[in-house]
């Protein structure tokens, strides 16, 4: 089969529409000028540059877009959105793709997701982020020993890490836990990955 | 003037010195910051990376409390908290979105939220150059500083309302009013690698290294920052950054409030300077050598 046939078989118009609906951005506005890519500080670790991701979404190449590592390495810095001549919020598209990739169980950078989930676990427990707790949970999740071992002595000396978690007073921590529980229940109910 | 104050989680841990110096400087300038008592984490990057509604719900609880406490204006030092609170308030204007977020909360959120702004903008709105000048006890003359805003403070432009999103100048205005010489620092809004320092250290090390390298080449005495995460990446992770760009740095990275506090004659301990990994002693010596009188 030639490539053109193959390409048309892989195209999924519904995917393009989905991304447009969830991100609120019109994909056909992108004319591939490459401004987003030129300013992207994370481009050096991307497997597909951000304009290529935009193109993949335009073409409905779902696997290409959602399977990309770039979606997980995007720093959400919004430089792309600021510089797009067509006023596309490119960072919002990247974020939407990340949400879709998570839901579709296509996490190409599990370390990044593990870190986020560890952070959110501490928020669920205390209502506020807890730095040492995040690190401990991250180590458990990723089965990696402290990646920042070199920072520990100086972080302790400079009291950069709070030893005790800060719990929101007046029942606030429980209120936050309830928000997160409802979120999870709804996600499960709606069939998406919480 | 009294403002409601949202410190953000890092203020209680890694950036306690930002908190301390913010309170001290605002005290001098006559801004009273009243901390909201039962504020919760805004969810930071992890929440919005995982789900927009979850992030908005965590922020809405804070906005709701501030509204019910009668706050007209809510100030926060952290650009990431600011960005999340503003994004949430903006998205909650859409009724369908608000209904889905309300369903996550104990009670539906208040109708009208207070405006949210950064401590930096709060200070600038409260006092002009003269208002700052009259508090100066130690002119910063002779100090060459690079102002580094990071990516979130000025973007998205409309939402953050922070002047030119590629070339903000508020921090320069405040520190110039204190007598410092501000460099024209071209990387002022280029990302430092954000929270990727833990899961993907190489990314953060390289991006932070580039910023430090330019500041060093421009012979800055220090980098002035406004974000707890930027401060951590540029200061605590400075050796990692140096290694990534094959350089050696000894670049102090101070919160702009710590620098203003020095100009106001506050003591290094009152500003939490001992918390910096790269010591600010070189700055203190330089200030002494300049005579330090306004
Ligand atoms: S800057 Fe905008 S128009 Fe240009 S390639 Fe990127 S998304 Fe497309
Ligand atoms: S938001 Fe993401 S894609 Fe856009 S410039 Fe920043 S890192 Fe690159």
């Amino acid at each position: 089969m030639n490539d053109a046939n193959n390409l048309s078989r892989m195209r999924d118009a519904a995917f393009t529409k989905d991304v447009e609906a969830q991100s609120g951005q019109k994909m056909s506005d992108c004319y591939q000028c490459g401004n987003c890519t030129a300013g992207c500080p994370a481009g050096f670790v991307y497997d597909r540059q951000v304009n290529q991701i935009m193109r993949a979404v335009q073409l409905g190449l779902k696997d290409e877009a959602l399977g990309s590592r770039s979606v997980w390495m995007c720093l959400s810095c919004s430089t792309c959105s600021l510089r797009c001549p067509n006023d596309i919020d490119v960072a919002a598209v990247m974020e939407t793709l990340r949400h879709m990739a998570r839901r579709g169980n296509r996490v190409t950078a599990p370390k990044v997701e593990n870190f986020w989930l560890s952070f959110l676990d501490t928020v669920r427990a205390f209502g506020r982020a807890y730095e040492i707790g995040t690190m401990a949970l991250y180590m458990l999740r990723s089965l990696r020993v402290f990646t920042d071992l070199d920072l520990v002595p100086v972080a302790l000396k400079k009291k950069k890490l709070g030893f005790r978690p800060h719990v929101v007073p007046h029942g606030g921590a429980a209120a936050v836990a309830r928000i997160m529980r409802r979120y999870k229940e709804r996600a499960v109910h709606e069939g998406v990955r919480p | 003037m009294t403002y409601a104050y949202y410190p953000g989680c890092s203020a209680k841990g890694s950036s306690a010195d930002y908190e301390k110096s913010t309170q001290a400087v605002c005290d001098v300038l006559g801004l009273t910051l009243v901390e909201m008592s039962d504020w919760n984490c805004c969810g930071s990057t992890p929440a919005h990376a995982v789900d927009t509604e979850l992030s908005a719900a965590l922020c809405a609880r804070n906005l709701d409390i501030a509204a019910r406490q009668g706050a007209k204006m809510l100030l926060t030092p952290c650009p990431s908290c600011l960005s999340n609170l503003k994004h949430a308030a903006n998205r909650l204007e859409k009724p369908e979105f608000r209904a889905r977020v309300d369903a996550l909360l104990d009670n539906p959120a208040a109708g009208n939220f207070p405006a949210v702004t950064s401590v930096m903008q709060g200070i600038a709105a409260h006092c002009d150059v003269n208002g700052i000048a009259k508090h100066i006890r130690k002119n910063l003359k002779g100090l060459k500083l690079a102002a580094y805003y990071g990516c979130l403070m000025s973007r998205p432009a409309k939402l953050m309302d922070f002047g030119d999103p590629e070339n903000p100048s508020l921090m320069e205005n405040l520190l110039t009013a204190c007598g410092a010489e501000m460099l024209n620092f071209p990387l002022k809004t280029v990302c430092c690698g954000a929270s990727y320092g833990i899961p993907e250290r190489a990314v953060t090390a390289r991006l932070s290294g580039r910023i430090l390298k330019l500041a060093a080449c421009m012979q800055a005495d220090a980098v002035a920052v406004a974000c707890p995460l930027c401060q951590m990446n540029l200061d605590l992770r400075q050796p990692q950054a140096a290694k990534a760009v094959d350089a050696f740095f000894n670049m102090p990275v101070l919160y702009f409030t710590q620098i203003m506090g020095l100009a106001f004659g506050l003591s290094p301990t009152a500003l939490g300077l001992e918390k910096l990994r790269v010591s600010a002693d070189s700055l203190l010596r330089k200030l002494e050598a300049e005579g330090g009188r306004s």
Side-chain angles (χ1 to χ4, degrees):
Chain A
M1 195 186 332
N2 71 31
D3 288 350
N5 279 340
N6 195 14
L7 183 68
S8 62
R9 282 202 340 164
M10 289 189 303
R11 290 179 67 165
D12 176 350
F15 170 65
T16 313
K17 285 228 173 64
D18 248 18
V19 176
E20 291 195 327
Q22 288 184 39
S23 67
Q25 308 303 309
K26 204 165 141 214
M27 297 309 297
S28 55
D29 280 353
C30 169
Y31 54 32
Q32 287 293 307
C33 68
N35 259 344
C36 47
T37 297
C40 177
F44 71 99
V45 283
Y46 279 8
D47 52 356
R48 299 279 180 273
Q49 292 303 314
V50 56
N51 71 299
Q52 294 177 307
I53 303 269
M54 293 297 286
R55 190 77 181 124
V57 179
Q58 276 182 334
L59 291 173
L61 301 178
K62 187 171 175 178
D63 293 338
E64 184 84 14
L66 295 188
S68 159
R69 180 173 157 81
S70 314
V71 166
W72 294 90
M73 302 307 290
C74 165
L75 301 158
S76 303
C77 74
S78 279
T79 312
C80 47
S81 309
L82 181 67
R83 295 183 185 168
C84 174
N86 296 317
D87 220 11
I88 305 171
D89 190 344
V90 188
V93 174
M94 291 296 273
E95 183 138 297
T96 298
L97 294 174
R98 194 156 51 217
H99 295 158
M100 292 170 101
R102 278 195 80 245
R103 289 172 176 176
N105 233 333
R106 302 178 185 232
V107 182
T108 53
K111 282 192 280 180
V112 174
E113 194 198 36
N114 281 337
F115 172 67
W116 292 337
L117 296 178
S118 304
F119 180 97
L120 290 175
D121 279 348
T122 70
V123 178
R124 181 178 298 114
F126 309 113
R128 290 183 190 161
Y130 174 37
E131 290 154 338
I132 290 185
T134 300
M135 291 306 304
L137 288 169
Y138 174 69
M139 280 160 58
L140 282 176
R141 268 211 173 82
S142 57
L143 295 177
R144 292 203 313 170
V145 188
F146 214 148
T147 54
D148 274 331
L149 218 49
D150 52 332
L151 292 184
V152 174
V154 61
L156 293 181
K157 190 164 138 243
K158 302 285 179 185
K159 301 200 177 61
K160 282 281 184 189
L161 297 169
F163 271 113
R164 278 180 305 136
H166 284 264
V167 182
V168 187
H170 313 306
V176 171
R178 284 195 293 276
I179 290 175
M180 299 189 75
R181 197 196 60 223
R182 289 185 200 111
Y183 162 72
K184 197 166 188 170
E185 284 169 2
R186 181 158 81 192
V188 170
H189 179 72
E190 294 180 350
V192 299
R193 200 157 160 265
Chain B
M1 275 292 271
T2 303
Y3 298 95
Y5 176 64
Y6 178 84
C9 300
S10 42
K12 304 297 170 194
S14 56
S15 76
D17 45 340
Y18 194 12
E19 159 106 322
K20 211 170 171 186
S21 55
T22 293
Q23 290 284 4
V25 162
C26 286
D27 254 6
V28 171
L29 294 172
L31 282 83
T32 310
L33 304 180
V34 182
E35 179 174 333
M36 294 171 51
S37 64
D38 41 354
W39 58 273
N40 59 268
C41 175
C42 71
S44 192
T45 305
H48 72 72
V50 163
D51 190 272
T52 312
E53 289 167 2
L54 174 65
S55 169
L58 291 171
C59 292
R61 182 176 174 275
N62 293 312
L63 293 167
D64 180 63
I65 293 171
R68 291 182 204 279
Q69 288 175 354
K72 297 271 169 301
M73 179 73 96
L74 181 61
L75 256 54
T76 179
C78 171
S80 175
C81 300
L82 179 65
S83 164
N84 282 323
L85 291 169
K86 278 182 170 257
H87 265 112
N90 186 259
R91 291 185 173 124
L92 285 161
E93 280 170 20
K94 281 217 182 95
E96 324 83 75
F97 187 83
R98 182 180 277 255
R100 285 189 55 90
V101 171
D102 275 344
L104 298 177
L105 303 173
D106 284 347
N107 312 299
N112 271 326
F113 296 139
V116 196
T117 191
S118 62
V119 164
M120 199 192 287
Q121 284 164 298
I123 292 178
H126 184 81
C127 32
D128 57 7
V129 175
N130 294 329
I132 290 173
K134 71 174 183 237
H135 296 289
I136 292 178
R137 300 285 170 273
K138 237 182 207 166
N139 196 306
L140 300 184
K141 209 160 73 55
L143 274 198
K144 265 202 212 169
L145 305 175
Y148 176 68
Y149 295 82
C151 42
L152 291 174
M153 194 72 131
S154 61
R155 291 194 291 262
K158 251 199 234 124
L159 188 72
M160 298 309 275
D161 189 23
F162 201 81
D164 183 343
E166 296 269 20
N167 190 16
S169 52
L170 196 54
M171 200 181 338
E172 282 93 330
N173 296 348
L174 293 175
L175 296 177
T176 308
C178 296
E181 179 191 335
M182 301 307 294
L183 296 164
N184 190 1
F185 191 56
L187 295 182
K188 60 169 88 169
T189 64
V190 177
C191 184
C192 65
S195 59
Y196 282 65
I198 294 165
E200 293 286 344
R201 178 202 283 200
V203 177
T204 300
R206 177 155 156 188
L207 292 173
S208 297
R210 191 159 68 129
I211 292 160
L212 289 164
K213 199 168 194 171
L214 185 65
C217 284
M218 292 175 81
Q219 298 183 327
D221 292 310
V223 176
V225 296
C227 168
L229 195 55
C230 299
Q231 204 281 338
M232 169 118 66
N233 286 341
L234 297 178
D235 177 45
L236 190 64
R237 295 182 182 279
Q238 195 167 114
Q240 297 175 355
K243 213 163 145 203
V245 295
D246 201 11
F248 174 79
F249 301 126
N250 190 28
M251 179 64 69
V253 182
L254 281 74
Y255 292 106
F256 77 99
T257 44
Q258 291 179 310
I259 301 175
M260 290 184 80
L262 287 176
F264 295 167
L266 302 173
S267 76
T269 22
L271 300 166
L273 290 191
E274 72 285 349
K275 236 175 131 82
L276 304 173
R277 173 175 194 154
V278 179
S279 153
D281 286 353
S282 57
L283 296 196
L284 300 176
R285 276 198 302 273
K286 201 159 175 180
L287 281 181
E288 291 308 324
E290 291 287 338
R293 249 179 305 274
S294 52

